Amino acid sequence: MEVENAYKIKISRKRTQITTYENLQLATSEPIKPETPKKIKKQVPKLPCEESAYSNYNYYKRMKKRREVVKELVYNNFDVPNVVMITLTFSGGYEELAVANHEFNLFTKRLNSHYAGVKYIATYSRQNNLNWHYHVLCNFDKRIKNKTISAIWKKGMTYVTYIHTNDEFKNTIEYIIANLNECKEEKRGKRGYLASKNLERDIEVTSWRSEDEQRFNEIFPTIEASPRKILYETKQHLGIQGRMVNEETGEVAKVTIPEREINPLLKEAGYESWDTTYTHLSSSARFTDKFAPLQPATPQPKKFKRLQL
């Protein structure tokens, strides 16, 4: 079985990116199976006297991934003018992260009892007094008042930053990312950010997964008909993914491709060796209909006696 022109498509609310494996043929003697869940790698224990270099490298990679995920969640779920940044501080002693996060979770429950459709993502770090504090992006419009947030928070001072322009929005994202990077050592083993469960992620579709076939056939013609821009290219030596079974002996061996000359078309394109070329492109195709409309949180009807806001 051969699959030519393998594509991975990543769709967010504001952009579409494609990775195309231009020279790649995924060949196998067996049908390509649906993707299986990745196994969680066991945590590498720290040494008594020094930290494991392997553990430190993994943590560095996780921090990089967290920053990417936070940006992804922000751009898919918030936009001007229906976004504000809320700063929450403690007036008492809240130096333990578990205790502080518990109070934050209670705050979000109270927030949801007063407002429908609340979306949020929060990062946290220590203040000079060693208390934790939170910076929360939330889908409120400009009608939300600081006194309202303060009455719901109850634990200390609050501040609402109103975001008026795209530049201010971008600067705010960089600010909460910087907050995510602070106190990194104390966040080991933690996700590093807190977010509501109703946030939308990027949509990823590949051309070689059986479960993606229908979505790929719907999406790809639009991308193919839209202008595209090459972002960058990377190359690796071409290896065929799969295995081959000797029917006589039952022996299983990895399938490899022999060295061979590249065809004239690839030579004209400037390739000197038979490499797999991963080309990363952006597309002008937009799929905003794949995401729910962005709406501000709205006051809940009063079904029972509650805090007067």
Side-chain angles (χ1 to χ4, degrees), residues 3-168:
V3 179
E4 297 184 4
N5 299 326
Y7 298 96
K8 180 185 288 185
I9 303 169
K10 191 172 185 179
I11 299 169
S12 68
R13 187 180 295 273
K14 295 188 175 182
R15 67 180 181 180
T16 302
Q17 292 181 301
I18 315 106
T19 303
T20 173
Y21 308 86
E22 291 182 348
N23 309 342
L24 181 62
Q25 291 184 338
L26 294 176
T28 176
S29 58
E30 299 177 353
I32 296 177
K33 299 178 181 179
E35 188 178 36
T36 56
K38 294 182 180 179
K39 293 182 179 179
I40 299 175
K41 187 183 295 184
K42 292 183 179 179
Q43 186 177 4
V44 180
K46 294 181 182 179
L47 300 177
C49 56
E50 60 181 6
E51 293 183 351
S52 164
Y54 179 68
S55 177
N56 286 339
Y57 175 75
N58 276 350
Y59 186 57
Y60 165 80
K61 298 290 284 186
R62 288 197 299 273
M63 286 296 297
K64 182 178 179 181
K65 181 64 176 177
R66 284 176 192 168
R67 293 191 289 270
E68 294 172 354
V69 171
V70 168
K71 286 186 177 181
E72 174 189 327
L73 292 173
V74 170
Y75 280 118
N76 279 340
N77 296 279
F78 306 95
D79 204 358
V80 177
N82 299 322
V83 59
V84 300
M85 183 177 75
I86 301 169
T87 303
L88 306 173
T89 65
F90 291 100
S91 57
Y94 284 85
E95 298 179 12
E96 290 188 25
L97 182 55
V99 176
N101 280 346
H102 176 70
E103 291 297 338
F104 178 83
N105 289 332
L106 292 178
F107 164 74
T108 60
K109 290 179 180 179
R110 293 193 294 270
L111 199 64
N112 279 294
S113 74
H114 288 286
Y115 291 91
V118 174
K119 292 184 175 183
Y120 68 85
I121 183 167
T123 58
Y124 48 89
S125 63
R126 285 196 186 276
Q127 294 179 280
N128 292 333
N129 62 5
L130 299 183
N131 280 343
W132 292 92
H133 75 297
Y134 299 83
H135 293 298
V136 190
L137 274 185
C138 200
N139 63 328
F140 285 116
D141 57 26
K142 296 177 180 61
R143 291 174 293 178
I144 193 70
K145 302 300 180 184
N146 185 58
K147 65 179 182 180
T148 303
I149 297 299
S150 183
I152 299 174
W153 173 235
K154 304 178 181 179
K155 294 296 178 179
M157 294 183 62
T158 64
Y159 186 78
V160 176
T161 303
Y162 299 99
I163 302 170
H164 304 280
T165 66
N166 289 329
D167 286 340
E168 289 179 356

Side-chain angles (χ1 to χ4, degrees), residues 22-23 261-275 277:
E22 291 182 348
N23 309 342
E261 293 185 3
I262 60 174
N263 59 43
L265 184 62
L266 292 177
K267 286 183 179 179
E268 290 179 8
Y271 298 112
E272 299 177 354
S273 61
W274 187 258
D275 291 332
T277 303

